[in-house]
Amino acid sequence: MAKNSTSRIILGVDPGTIITGYGLIKCYGKKMELIACGSIQLGKSKTAHADRLKRLFNRLKGLMDEFAPDEMAIEAPFYGKNPQSMLKLGRAQGVAMAAALGRDMPVFEYAPRKVKMAVTGKGAASKEQVAAMLRNILKFEESPHYLDATDGLAVAVCHFFQGNPAHSSTQHKDWNAFIKANPGRIK
């Protein structure tokens, strides 16, 4: 996949212990296009948790080798009632982050409500609503078999909509400070 200096590739990940969803988009300024989305099947509870985490790590490394993303956006675990489930989900998120950080790739984390809000305008949107909106935004017809794939894609799109945090290192305390630092951007 050819990249140029004005484009970047974002890998979005919706971590899970049985199914992890991912999506890749290529961004050109204010435009984006779908590269790929899918799901990583990690198996049922009969498979040892450590083995599933190893498969997740290796599969994500394979995606990074194939598509060479510049950034990873990952969905933060939501707080559930079962502490064991939260612990396992956190491990999956940590493994995904480690795969990116091992390649010196910046990682950005988004809460599930923020992802849904960015894509649909509604923080409590269903997985089906998110998938439908992504089909409209990215102009693709066929939805993946598992909605985890579109959830991973939604995280990448959310990151795109946040601007360009990987390349913006300066924070301004108010508009006057911004104007002073950027006189050429005022019309």
Side-chain angles (χ1 to χ4, degrees), residues 3-11 24-35 70-71 138 156-157 159-161 163-164:
K3 287 197 286 188
N4 61 45
S5 62
T6 61
S7 68
R8 64 186 170 126
I9 295 175
I10 301 170
L11 168 62
L24 289 129
I25 57 173
K26 187 169 186 176
C27 310
Y28 311 84
K30 295 184 179 187
K31 295 181 181 181
M32 67 180 134
E33 71 179 48
L34 174 66
I35 297 173
D70 300 293
E71 302 165 16
L138 294 168
V157 170
H159 181 61
F160 172 78
F161 285 153
N164 200 351

Side-chain angles (χ1 to χ4, degrees), residues 2 27 34 42 81 96 129 168:
C27 310
L34 174 66
L42 300 172
K81 294 179 184 178
Q129 289 170 316
S168 125

Side-chain angles (χ1 to χ4, degrees), residues 88 112 116 123 141 159:
K88 288 179 179 179
K116 292 175 182 179
E141 298 283 324
H159 181 61

Side-chain angles (χ1 to χ4, degrees), residues 52-88:
R52 290 194 308 248
L53 293 175
K54 181 180 179 183
R55 281 203 321 273
L56 174 60
F57 184 80
N58 289 333
R59 182 65 179 112
L60 286 172
K61 282 186 1 183
L63 286 170
M64 292 173 195
D65 289 343
E66 182 178 353
F67 295 105
D70 300 293
E71 302 165 16
M72 174 190 274
I74 192 165
E75 189 171 276
F78 62 91
Y79 299 101
K81 294 179 184 178
N82 184 338
Q84 277 299 324
S85 294
M86 280 297 300
L87 179 61
K88 288 179 179 179

